[in-house]
Amino acid sequence: MNVSASGRRVFVSGASRGLGRAVARAFAANGDRVAVHFGSREEEARTTLASLAGDGHTLVGGDLADPSGAAAVVDAAADALGGIDVLVNNAAVNIRHPLPETPYEEWVAVWQQHVAVNLLATANLSHLAARRMIDQGGGGRIVNIGSRGAFRGEPDHPAYGATKAAVHALGQSLAVSLAPYGIAVASVAPGFFATERVAPRVEGPEGAAIRAQSPFGRVGSAEEITAAVLWLASPAAEWSSGTILDLNGASHLRS
């Protein structure tokens, strides 16, 4: 299989800001063409698009929780790029809902939202992109953004931890089924890392406790997570297919 090191056609879900924006920028700087997906933050997504190095990039919007919306988004991205070689499943929701404080109706709604976006949208995008990679020939890459919370537990965000654990398991299943087509699938499991969304927490009263989670005494950066994503999408990473790569500064160790 011929997986290129650059010049690839890359789809990044949830790329309007934060980690998705950093991932899109890294692929563009690598010489790839990127489809920047957004759900509702179109202006922020346009800012991401305008910041990308090179040309040939595109903007695609749509609701990934709707299966037909996911299909339309992938079709639009593939039409604009001429195909898809790399999929980065980054789009996710993470809403606080500790069980002792959350009414049942709210609990049900939050779980349904997490499953629809974090798990089912990831599964649907993976199917849609992988079938295109199979038809194109030449292999491909799928990189899922998971979470440390899948392993250590998320008492205030249980649906997030559970759906990210499911994303890890999905990636391993797909790694086995797609390997004969030269498609490698891997996941990263970040710990706490800095983005504009969580800046108030890092800079606020709980910041010291958050930084103390790691023996390095700091939180991670989006660029550190992005470097791992870029490598897992590279030709050199085929033998890492099926892996779940911990990126948490030794804040949670497992074996």
Side-chain angles (χ1 to χ4, degrees):
M1 298 294 176
N2 181 26
V3 177
S4 299
S6 63
R8 298 164 298 183
R9 300 158 296 186
V10 181
F11 180 97
V12 183
S13 70
S16 59
R17 61 177 184 169
L19 180 60
R21 175 179 287 175
V23 168
R25 286 174 170 170
F27 277 105
N30 186 60
D32 301 309
R33 291 184 293 126
V34 182
V36 174
H37 165 260
F38 69 93
S40 58
R41 297 183 174 90
E42 181 173 355
E43 288 307 310
E44 289 175 298
R46 291 191 180 280
T47 299
T48 299
L49 184 69
S51 72
L52 300 185
D55 52 25
H57 312 299
T58 191
L59 192 69
V60 290
D63 180 8
L64 300 182
D66 175 7
S68 61
V73 163
V74 172
D75 285 345
D79 288 347
L81 298 177
I84 297 176
D85 304 304
V86 177
L87 167 66
V88 180
N89 281 309
N90 173 69
V93 296
N94 187 7
I95 301 167
R96 187 178 184 274
H97 57 288
L99 189 151
E101 304 171 20
T102 306
Y104 180 67
E105 294 77 11
E106 181 182 343
W107 173 268
V108 170
V110 168
W111 271 88
Q112 290 175 333
Q113 185 177 3
H114 279 75
V115 170
V117 177
N118 296 4
L119 177 56
L120 295 181
T122 295
N124 293 340
L125 289 179
S126 296
H127 181 281
L128 293 160
R131 288 306 302 259
R132 286 185 175 273
M133 295 174 193
I134 291 169
D135 292 342
Q136 291 164 183
R141 295 287 185 268
I142 298 174
V143 183
N144 299 320
I145 307 301
S147 174
R148 173 188 67 178
F151 304 112
R152 73 165 197 166
E154 291 287 352
D156 290 341
H157 304 82
Y160 182 79
T163 51
K164 288 300 187 178
V167 165
H168 294 168
L170 169 66
Q172 292 185 318
S173 295
L174 295 184
V176 177
S177 66
L178 297 177
Y181 304 96
I183 301 170
V185 185
S187 301
V188 296
F192 204 104
F193 63 95
T195 64
E196 62 269 31
R197 182 177 63 83
V198 300
R201 293 183 62 191
V202 178
E203 297 164 4
E206 63 180 321
I210 292 173
R211 290 188 291 273
Q213 292 176 6
S214 166
F216 289 100
R218 66 175 179 87
V219 299
S221 69
E223 288 72 24
E224 287 172 313
I225 312 304
T226 293
V229 172
L230 198 63
W231 181 76
L232 287 171
S234 73
E238 181 171 273
W239 213 237
S240 294
S241 189
T243 197
I244 302 167
L245 180 59
D246 292 323
L247 300 168
N248 63 49
S251 64
H252 181 77
L253 302 177
R254 61 190 180 94
S255 59

